[in-house]
Amino acid sequence: MAGSTNIFTRYSIRKATFGMLSLSILLSFGGHNKLLAQSNSQKRMQQKIKSLKNQEGFSPRDTAYINLLNDYALEMRFFDTDSLLKLANEAMRLSKESGYARGLSYSHLRIGDYWSDKGNTEKAIHHYSKGLELAKVAEDKKLELRLLNNLSGEYAYKSDYSRALGGYLEALELAESLEALLLQSIINENIANLYATQKDYEEALTYFKKVKKINTNIGDEVIQAETMSNLASLYADMSELDYAIFNINQSIKVFDENQILDWLAYAYEIKGKIYLKKYNYKWALYWYQLSEILHKQLEDDRSRIDLLNGMSEAYLGLEEDSLARNYAIRAFKITEKINFVEGKQKCALTLYKVHKKAGEYPEALVYHELYQQLKDSLSRRENRQSLSLHKTKAAYERQKLELIEENEKALARQKRYIQAGWSMLLISLIISYLIYRSKKLQKRLNTELQEKKDILEVRKTELIANNETKTKLFSIIGHDLRGPIGALQGLLKMFKDGDVNKEEFLSFIPKLRADVDHIYFTLNNLLSWGQSQLNGSKTKPADVSLENIVEENINLLSEIAENKSIKIVSEVAPNTLLWSDPNHLDIIVRNLISNALKFTPENGMVTIKAVEKAAEWEISIRDTGVGIDRMTLQKIFEEKSNHSTYGTANEKGTGLGLSLCKEMVENNNGTIWVESILRKGSTFYFTMPKSTKNYSKAG
């Protein structure tokens, strides 16, 4: 909804995202266009597109790029309609070339929005309908729901209320089947607004009650404020001005606190409308002017008509006739531009009042005749459409009841068939039981023997595995821990016995530090591996930031890198979220970076990257080290291998790190591999599933 990227449009309400700019700044600068020329969300969208283009192996036919183009088109909808059309056409071209049905459907949705805002309902309906067909082919229910909602809204703009209601009811049923509360709220509110245009306020209020109940379950104050704004407009039309002012004040407070300026502009307009109905022209004009300042940032002609016409009426009430004439003419020209009949009727009435007050009776008569002609036409059409609305709704409900009745009959027939089937099955079971009973003793003995044999085989396998684990454990302890600890013990004994003096002892501190770091690192790996082998540790995946894990381990290993003058570079983008066990990911990254530092000579470089794939992230850790020969490559990840190698500065390793990495990567539904060239360096790759979070919801 407002304040975020919007994918659905409530009927007759315009949408845009201004970004987080305070109203006081806006007013103090007189509403300069540069202040809101580009929203924060638009900037973020541009950055996403730029980042994707800079990725290695980028292709403009990538579905992620096509989706970003369509999302960016939506962001530009109420700021730069030419850019909207250009972006949507480019997305359509790329979708056709790559055979991407969803992208093509999405492009038709955006182009339909363009023509809708231009007042060309025929072209808008054409694109919405084409997009709807493609969404069904792509089996994208949410996209289908967006298109149904927008298509129904376009029929409402065309005054084909019967088809609009039918489409909304179909969309509502789909939203309920998807258990999408927000979408149910939007569509119910669209239906309420549809009845409001017919002045069927009782039915409109019935649907608004449903909306408020759904909004309570959603629990979002912004969504509740949006509904209260629309409800305030309805109460104003009903002349229930106390209810109207209560609802609009509540919504303005929420929009102001959350800096949702597009809805704030609409709320100001409604508040102006309420004061106009109170004949308080001064305050009406005050709120209209606030709305006008915000509207200058929008390219939304349809929503500007009521604002300009309302300001004309306010100026007329304040005896400022020239300004009243100016605003009424501006509003009337927009209605002719987009062929908006209901808006033209209102503007004709205002222009009639303006010319009559100025004593320009011939002109006043022209506009009065136009107003009367449009009023009679709309009145006759509204009477027909009002009846059609009720008929459509009744027919729809009747079809649902008939379908339910037919389903109940079919279920009753199936129930009889099932009962007959159960009877036959029971007879078959009795016969089978008699046959089974005669062989029962023999089968039971065979089964018991086989079970005991299987148990022995399992225990044998477990015993062998435990012995191998124990052997490897003692091998690592003896090979990689006993040496550094023994050296430390020997040095301390020499210092105690006086074989080395204090200065000589202090000269060994760097080596002791390195040995202790090695022991600590080895124990961490050993404990992680031992837990997984002996206790069967469980993987506990969660949403985890790769960028944070990488930065923490770079800081942890920075001293080792500085001692060898190795530069560690992280090219991991912010908000790179993985679905993995945080502890496992930390151990994997630490081991691979440590390994890269170990085999990279002085003045080398270690680079960490993350490349987004369809359902996973591919992470790489590249070094400019000594490389790995072909024989070692073949057995580097073997589980039973605990061979350790000295690094370029004689660093020791456990030989355990890579097999531990492999085990933890695979436990997190990923894969790990290595590519290497001798004397040029190695690159270790592993994959992890993407986070299940959605970042941006666009429509």
Side-chain angles (χ1 to χ4, degrees):
M1 304 314 302
S4 62
T5 302
N6 303 300
I7 52 177
F8 289 89
T9 304
R10 293 188 192 270
Y11 174 65
S12 78
I13 303 280
R14 64 273 181 273
K15 296 289 183 185
T17 304
F18 287 85
M20 305 305 286
L21 183 67
S22 70
L23 181 60
S24 60
I25 294 175
L26 176 66
L27 295 179
S28 65
F29 281 85
H32 290 172
N33 289 342
K34 289 184 179 179
L35 289 176
L36 296 179
Q38 187 180 49
S39 69
N40 291 336
S41 57
Q42 290 171 10
K43 291 178 182 178
R44 287 194 295 270
M45 193 64 65
Q46 290 173 355
Q47 186 59 39
K48 285 182 180 180
I49 292 174
K50 183 178 179 181
S51 176
L52 186 60
K53 284 184 173 180
N54 289 336
Q55 287 185 8
E56 187 177 351
F58 165 76
S59 169
R61 294 176 181 171
D62 186 352
T63 58
Y65 177 67
I66 295 172
N67 289 338
L68 280 176
L69 288 179
N70 280 317
D71 290 343
Y72 192 24
L74 175 62
E75 290 292 340
M76 299 303 293
R77 178 175 182 183
F78 298 105
F79 292 93
D80 186 345
T81 55
D82 290 337
S83 293
L84 180 157
L85 185 61
K86 182 179 178 181
L87 289 164
N89 279 328
E90 177 65 7
M92 178 173 286
R93 181 182 68 81
L94 295 173
S95 296
K96 288 178 179 178
E97 290 178 359
S98 59
Y100 182 33
R102 184 188 183 278
L104 195 56
S105 172
Y106 200 179
S107 303
H108 278 292
L109 173 59
R110 296 281 73 88
I111 295 173
D113 291 341
Y114 172 83
W115 289 114
S116 176
D117 295 339
K118 293 295 182 183
N120 193 327
T121 56
E122 295 304 324
K123 285 189 176 181
I125 288 172
H126 167 75
H127 284 284
Y128 287 147
S129 300
K130 187 65 177 177
L132 184 59
E133 293 174 9
L134 291 166
K136 291 178 179 178
V137 171
E139 297 182 348
D140 190 326
K141 295 295 184 183
K142 287 190 176 180
L143 184 54
E144 182 182 340
L145 197 47
R146 302 181 201 180
L147 285 151
L148 262 176
N149 183 70
N150 286 25
L151 179 61
S152 302
E154 205 59 35
Y155 280 123
Y157 287 135
K158 193 181 178 183
S159 299
D160 190 347
Y161 302 119
S162 178
R163 294 187 71 172
L165 179 60
Y168 281 138
L169 290 174
E170 183 181 350
L172 183 59
E173 187 172 356
L174 180 56
E176 289 172 348
S177 70
L178 295 174
E179 297 183 354
L181 288 179
L182 177 58
L183 308 184
Q184 292 176 41
S185 170
I186 292 169
I187 296 165
N188 273 298
E189 192 160 333
N190 286 343
I191 296 173
N193 288 325
L194 194 62
Y195 277 108
T197 62
Q198 294 289 289
K199 297 181 174 54
D200 189 345
Y201 301 128
E202 183 178 353
E203 192 70 15
L205 285 173
T206 299
Y207 275 94
F208 267 117
K209 287 180 182 178
K210 295 179 182 179
V211 174
K212 291 176 72 174
K213 184 176 180 181
I214 295 170
N215 289 349
T216 300
N217 292 330
I218 295 174
D220 188 322
E221 67 170 0
V222 174
I223 295 172
Q224 291 171 345
E226 292 167 1
T227 297
M228 292 178 78
S229 295
N230 290 336
L231 196 53
S233 179
L234 177 65
Y235 279 129
D237 292 335
M238 297 170 64
S239 296
E240 297 281 355
L241 301 183
D242 290 339
Y243 288 130
I245 203 71
F246 171 79
N247 280 277
I248 205 63
N249 284 340
Q250 293 295 313
S251 62
I252 286 175
K253 179 182 177 183
V254 174
F255 297 146
D256 191 37
E257 289 175 351
N258 291 275
Q259 287 294 286
I260 304 173
L261 300 186
D262 55 335
W263 276 98
L264 192 58
Y266 174 66
Y268 287 157
E269 179 190 328
I270 297 304
K271 194 161 185 178
K273 173 182 174 181
I274 295 168
Y275 278 105
L276 191 65
K277 284 187 170 287
K278 289 184 173 185
Y279 304 106
N280 190 334
Y281 302 115
K282 181 179 178 180
W283 277 105
L285 187 59
Y286 171 79
W287 293 106
Y288 277 136
Q289 286 174 335
L290 290 183
S291 180
E292 184 184 24
I293 291 172
L294 299 180
H295 264 285
K296 289 179 181 179
Q297 313 308 315
L298 298 170
E299 291 187 26
D300 188 2
D301 288 337
R302 186 179 285 115
S303 65
R304 194 174 285 115
I305 294 170
D306 282 341
L307 172 63
L308 297 176
N309 195 60
M311 293 183 73
S312 175
E313 291 190 58
Y315 277 122
L316 196 62
L318 292 170
E319 305 293 335
E320 297 188 35
D321 298 349
S322 61
L323 287 172
R325 181 193 301 263
N326 179 44
Y327 276 93
I329 291 172
R330 285 171 60 189
F332 188 78
K333 286 181 178 179
I334 295 174
T335 64
E336 290 188 315
K337 175 184 173 183
I338 65 173
N339 193 27
F340 189 31
V341 179
E342 287 80 0
K344 185 180 290 186
Q345 178 205 355
K346 293 178 183 178
C347 294
L349 178 60
T350 305
L351 284 167
Y352 159 69
K353 294 176 183 177
V354 169
H355 286 292
K356 181 182 178 183
K357 187 175 181 182
E360 298 167 352
Y361 297 110
E363 291 85 352
L365 181 60
V366 170
Y367 283 109
H368 186 270
E369 289 177 350
L370 177 60
Y371 165 74
Q372 198 63 47
Q373 177 186 347
L374 293 172
K375 180 182 178 182
D376 292 343
S377 174
L378 286 171
S379 177
R380 290 194 300 272
R381 181 167 58 191
E382 284 176 2
N383 287 334
R384 294 195 302 271
Q385 296 292 354
S386 180
L387 178 60
S388 181
L389 277 174
H390 289 290
K391 286 182 177 179
T392 300
K393 184 180 178 183
Y396 184 82
E397 294 296 333
R398 186 173 62 254
Q399 288 173 3
K400 283 183 66 174
L401 290 173
E402 289 174 355
L403 184 61
I404 291 170
E405 185 179 349
E406 184 62 31
N407 287 338
E408 288 176 349
K409 290 179 180 179
L411 287 172
R413 288 195 298 270
Q414 290 178 5
K415 190 174 181 180
R416 290 196 296 271
Y417 294 149
I418 291 170
Q419 288 174 344
W422 276 113
S423 299
M424 294 178 66
L425 180 61
L426 181 61
I427 295 171
S428 300
L429 286 174
I430 293 172
I431 296 172
S432 298
Y433 175 74
L434 293 174
I435 297 172
Y436 168 77
R437 189 176 180 183
S438 64
K439 299 180 179 179
K440 184 176 180 181
L441 289 174
Q442 182 180 354
K443 285 188 176 181
R444 187 177 66 185
L445 290 173
N446 290 337
T447 300
E448 289 177 356
L449 288 172
Q450 185 62 42
E451 287 175 353
K452 290 179 180 179
K453 181 180 177 182
D454 292 341
I455 291 171
L456 288 174
E457 289 293 332
V458 170
R459 289 180 178 174
K460 179 182 176 182
T461 302
E462 291 176 349
L463 183 61
I464 293 171
N466 287 338
N467 284 335
E468 289 177 352
T469 300
K470 181 180 68 176
T471 301
K472 186 170 185 178
L473 183 64
F474 283 115
S475 172
I476 292 169
I477 293 172
H479 182 268
D480 292 304
L481 292 180
R482 186 170 61 183
I485 293 173
L488 177 61
Q489 184 183 36
L491 184 61
L492 291 172
K493 185 175 184 303
M494 290 172 64
F495 180 70
K496 179 181 178 183
D497 295 341
D499 293 336
V500 294
N501 58 34
K502 183 178 180 181
E503 292 181 358
E504 289 173 331
F505 179 82
L506 291 175
S507 68
F508 283 101
I509 291 298
K511 182 181 185 306
L512 291 176
R513 171 71 183 275
D515 284 346
V516 170
D517 286 344
H518 171 73
I519 292 168
Y520 178 75
F521 193 89
T522 301
L523 281 174
N524 269 345
N525 278 347
L526 195 60
L527 288 171
S528 298
W529 173 80
Q531 184 184 21
S532 67
Q533 295 295 315
L534 299 177
N535 298 330
S537 68
K538 295 181 179 179
T539 301
K540 299 178 180 178
D543 292 314
V544 55
S545 170
L546 177 63
E547 181 191 24
N548 293 343
I549 295 290
V550 170
E551 289 299 326
E552 288 173 3
N553 281 285
I554 288 176
N555 292 334
L556 182 66
L557 300 169
S558 60
E559 186 174 344
I560 297 173
E562 289 173 4
N563 290 338
K564 296 180 72 175
S565 298
I566 297 173
K567 184 178 181 182
I568 306 178
V569 178
S570 172
E571 297 182 6
V572 178
N575 297 326
T576 303
L577 296 185
L578 282 59
W579 182 251
S580 68
D581 188 307
N583 294 327
H584 289 183
L585 182 61
D586 185 46
I587 291 168
I588 294 164
V589 171
R590 188 186 317 128
N591 271 279
L592 293 180
I593 295 177
S594 174
N595 218 39
L597 293 172
K598 174 181 172 184
F599 293 104
T600 300
E602 292 187 354
N603 300 313
M605 179 180 288
V606 174
T607 307
I608 303 100
K609 292 184 179 180
V611 178
E612 187 175 8
K613 302 295 183 181
E616 63 190 9
W617 285 95
E618 181 182 283
I619 300 96
S620 64
I621 299 177
R622 183 190 303 269
D623 64 58
T624 57
V626 297
I628 306 170
D629 61 72
R630 185 178 298 177
M631 293 296 293
T632 305
L633 275 174
Q634 293 176 354
K635 59 182 180 180
I636 196 166
F637 289 114
E638 288 182 3
E639 184 179 353
K640 296 182 180 180
S641 173
N642 64 345
H643 175 67
S644 61
T645 309
Y646 286 91
T648 57
N650 291 319
E651 304 100 320
K652 293 193 68 180
T654 64
L656 176 65
L658 291 179
S659 61
L660 181 62
C661 288
K662 180 175 185 293
E663 179 178 324
M664 290 186 172
V665 167
E666 290 176 351
N667 285 345
N668 284 275
N669 298 317
T671 56
I672 186 168
W673 70 96
V674 60
E675 296 175 0
S676 182
I677 301 175
L678 282 174
R679 294 178 294 282
K680 289 190 177 181
S682 305
T683 304
F684 282 81
Y685 297 88
F686 69 94
T687 62
M688 285 286 173
K690 286 183 180 178
S691 167
T692 56
K693 284 186 178 179
N694 294 320
Y695 308 106
S696 145
K697 301 205 171 195

